[in-house]
Amino acid sequence: QVQLVESGGGSVQAGGSLRVSCEGSGYTYSRCMAWFRQGPGKEREAVASIYTGAGSTYYADSVKGRFTISQDKAKNTVYLQMNNLKPEDTAMYHCATPRYGGRCYSSWWDAAGYTYWGQGTQVTVSS
């Protein structure tokens, strides 16, 4: 059974940085791993994704140049480094992966393509 566990959230002032982590278990094949977020009163939004095989990445326009997704294959862990945080980045951040292994597709931003989700970690950015 695939399991995803996020950690590393917290509170920070605008302009600050945080790194959240997603440790995965229960799978062996390279796969698409994505971060989504949902802020108060907002719809769930895709943030970034990485294909754990080749390391190719995708980003939402709202975070390009500020967030970096990366991985540690030995630890089966995906990270999201968030710099120059803004109050609008405040959200619960979840990692997710599809049912089967494989690359991230051009529709990586569509939450419907993901089967397994972590419980989330809260990120709060104050102005």
Side-chain angles (χ1 to χ4, degrees), residues 46-104:
V47 177
S49 69
I50 186 168
Y51 171 53
T52 62
S56 49
T57 58
Y58 295 87
Y59 293 94
D61 288 343
S62 58
V63 305
K64 278 181 182 176
R66 300 188 299 123
F67 291 11
T68 302
I69 190 169
S70 63
Q71 62 173 329
D72 183 332
K73 288 185 178 182
K75 296 182 179 180
N76 249 13
T77 298
V78 171
Y79 304 99
L80 185 68
Q81 176 68 42
M82 303 179 288
N83 298 329
N84 191 21
L85 282 160
K86 304 175 180 180
E88 52 263 43
D89 295 318
T90 294
M92 184 71 78
Y93 284 71
H94 297 267
C95 63
T97 192
R99 180 180 297 276
Y100 301 109
R103 296 180 180 277
C104 301

Side-chain angles (χ1 to χ4, degrees), residues 2-125:
V2 173
Q3 289 190 324
L4 304 174
V5 179
E6 301 97 334
S7 61
S11 297
V12 66
Q13 288 192 326
S17 298
L18 279 175
R19 189 180 77 164
V20 292
S21 304
C22 172
E23 182 176 0
S25 61
Y27 56 86
T28 54
Y29 295 105
S30 297
R31 56 180 49 245
C32 182
M33 300 289 290
W35 285 98
F36 286 79
R37 67 185 182 184
Q38 187 163 17
K42 297 182 180 179
E43 293 187 354
R44 183 165 47 191
E45 173 190 21
V47 177
S49 69
I50 186 168
Y51 171 53
T52 62
S56 49
T57 58
Y58 295 87
Y59 293 94
D61 288 343
S62 58
V63 305
K64 278 181 182 176
R66 300 188 299 123
F67 291 11
T68 302
I69 190 169
S70 63
Q71 62 173 329
D72 183 332
K73 288 185 178 182
K75 296 182 179 180
N76 249 13
T77 298
V78 171
Y79 304 99
L80 185 68
Q81 176 68 42
M82 303 179 288
N83 298 329
N84 191 21
L85 282 160
K86 304 175 180 180
E88 52 263 43
D89 295 318
T90 294
M92 184 71 78
Y93 284 71
H94 297 267
C95 63
T97 192
R99 180 180 297 276
Y100 301 109
R103 296 180 180 277
C104 301
Y105 295 99
S106 57
S107 59
W108 69 272
W109 45 266
D110 187 353
Y114 296 84
T115 301
Y116 302 104
W117 294 79
Q119 83 289 349
T121 186
Q122 178 68 36
V123 171
T124 302
V125 185

